[in-house]
Amino acid sequence: MPKQDYFDKGQLTDLSYLILLVLIKPRHGYIIMNEIINLTEDKVKIGPASLYTTLRKLTEAGYIHLKENQENRKTYQITEHGMDILQIEIDKRQKLADYGKKALEEASYEEKK
Amino acid sequence: MKKKNKYWVGNGLLFSIDKNVSKFEKFANEGYRLAGVNRFGIYKFVYDGNPGRSYAIDIADICLDSNHFQDYLEIFESAGWKHIFSSLNAHYFTAEKGTLPIYTDKKNEVVKYKNLFYTGRKGAAFLLTISVIFFSLFFLFNVMQFELPFAIYLLFLGITGGSLGGGLMMLYGTILNYYRIKKKIKYSL
């Protein structure tokens, strides 16, 4: 029986991945969008409806939760379960990028021969 | 002198959100801003002379009194989208022209059509059930030859016809959204 495919665990879209990264620290909902713009150096902008829908899905999956702080304001933050998934996801994306570089190197090496 | 208010019956959100938004923006170009909707579903526009606005309609099931709704509105506000009003699970927003659209990915936009699908399905089921009930009553009373005034029969027939027509339209809208969902899911990886 083959081991569960390494890449099957914690399938996250790019958007969910970025949101989880931003929510390692607790944040108000309306700040998240700007934090993602900062994190990605202006490359990724999310629409408010896309953001809200994803926050809801991540909350239902148990990857983030909504907490009320002293001033009665609500903040989103990643859960322990979410951190585990995030770690797996970062490793996976790192490996995928490494495989890509390796494949390109081998292809250009073949060409030079 | 431009008329102060305009009214428009709308295109049925179940069928086409985009057509409604296009009309709002057309009125906006003429200087009319969307102000609200009355209980019959007729939109009201007020003249304020400012052209060039964008509009967006989101379909989301959020309890209007809850903190979640406040959170939802704040997220939209931070992106430049001001809330105008809500009608059931449809939320209307306006922003300056050129503002980033409320949905920036197809996968999440599918949720909007899923919500419409569920609303349509519930509505169609309810209306078609009403039409079956009232038709059965009409038929039953006819068969049993009850001595009811003609007006009552007419009423039963009217309700049957009205709810049948409405129910079929909602069914059509539901099927439309079902295929929209299928089509959008096919294109999102």
Side-chain angles (χ1 to χ4, degrees):
Chain A
M1 166 89 178
K3 270 204 303 210
Q4 182 187 12
D5 187 338
Y6 176 76
F7 294 115
D8 275 348
K9 293 188 217 151
Q11 293 282 331
L12 289 180
T13 61
D14 291 354
L15 185 57
S16 298
Y17 173 71
L18 291 171
I19 292 175
L20 286 182
L21 289 178
V22 156
L23 292 181
I24 292 175
K25 287 209 213 123
R27 311 251 191 217
H28 294 304
Y30 60 87
I31 300 277
I32 296 176
M33 200 160 342
N34 280 330
E35 288 298 325
I36 290 183
I37 292 177
N38 287 340
L39 180 70
T40 62
E41 290 154 353
D42 246 23
K43 290 202 183 61
V44 176
K45 297 188 169 83
I46 313 179
S50 291
L51 174 60
Y52 185 82
T53 311
T54 310
L55 286 175
R56 221 171 166 171
K57 283 191 200 161
L58 290 173
T59 308
E60 279 167 20
Y63 296 170
I64 64 176
H65 61 182
L66 200 51
K67 270 203 322 201
E68 208 164 305
N69 70 8
Q70 303 98 319
E71 302 126 32
N72 230 352
R73 297 306 315 272
K74 291 201 186 256
T75 56
Y76 290 91
Q77 191 176 13
I78 198 169
T79 59
E80 240 182 78
H81 182 35
M83 268 310 257
D84 293 338
I85 296 288
L86 188 59
Q87 200 60 67
I88 294 175
E89 193 71 18
I90 293 173
D91 291 342
K92 171 183 126 183
R93 283 164 189 260
Q94 181 70 65
K95 285 205 164 63
L96 284 172
D98 292 342
Y99 299 155
K101 290 198 173 112
K102 183 169 158 205
L104 286 176
E105 270 172 25
E106 285 176 8
S108 71
Y109 178 67
E110 293 286 327
E111 267 181 40
K112 285 184 187 137
K113 271 214 272 195
Chain B
M1 184 63 190
K2 278 231 156 118
K3 263 210 312 227
K4 196 172 142 224
N5 294 340
K6 260 198 213 248
Y7 295 91
W8 182 55
V9 76
N11 244 326
L13 289 181
L14 210 57
F15 304 111
S16 178
I17 294 181
D18 293 339
K19 284 217 181 95
N20 285 293
V21 170
S22 299
K23 194 76 169 204
F24 296 164
E25 290 178 354
K26 177 164 171 275
F27 283 167
N29 282 333
E30 297 166 13
Y32 290 88
R33 63 171 176 84
L34 176 65
V37 73
N38 70 12
R39 74 181 80 108
F40 299 111
I42 299 189
Y43 294 109
K44 178 175 172 181
F45 301 82
V46 172
Y47 185 76
D48 69 356
N50 290 332
R53 263 170 286 250
S54 289
Y55 286 96
I57 307 175
D58 190 26
I59 312 290
D61 289 303
I62 311 173
C63 179
L64 297 183
D65 296 331
S66 67
N67 280 330
H68 286 288
F69 193 61
Q70 277 311 113
D71 200 29
Y72 176 74
L73 293 188
E74 275 174 7
I75 289 175
F76 275 73
E77 179 107 22
S78 75
W81 288 95
K82 284 205 172 61
H83 181 239
I84 316 174
F85 63 91
S86 293
S87 173
L88 288 183
N89 61 355
H91 310 286
Y92 295 75
F93 296 91
T94 188
E96 276 174 31
K97 249 193 176 155
T99 306
L100 194 70
I102 64 171
Y103 281 103
T104 44
D105 70 314
K106 286 223 163 9
K107 197 164 188 179
N108 280 310
E109 196 171 7
V110 168
V111 176
K112 186 172 72 173
Y113 294 107
K114 278 196 179 150
N115 287 330
L116 280 177
F117 169 77
Y118 289 128
T119 304
R121 196 173 66 172
K122 271 193 279 195
F126 174 72
L127 286 175
L128 291 176
T129 307
I130 296 275
S131 73
V132 166
I133 290 175
F134 277 86
F135 182 71
S136 310
L137 285 176
F138 166 81
F139 189 68
L140 211 66
F141 289 162
N142 236 343
V143 161
M144 298 178 37
Q145 290 179 336
F146 274 15
E147 285 293 321
L148 286 180
F150 184 65
I152 299 280
Y153 283 116
L154 216 61
L155 183 68
F156 281 6
L157 262 187
I159 294 177
T160 303
S163 49
L164 184 66
L168 287 177
M169 281 224 312
M170 289 206 98
L171 188 63
Y172 171 65
T174 305
I175 295 173
L176 209 68
N177 282 301
Y178 177 74
Y179 282 109
R180 274 191 191 131
I181 295 167
K182 287 229 131 161
K183 213 166 64 162
K184 291 226 179 230
I185 289 181
K186 197 168 65 156
Y187 289 120
S188 73
L189 287 166

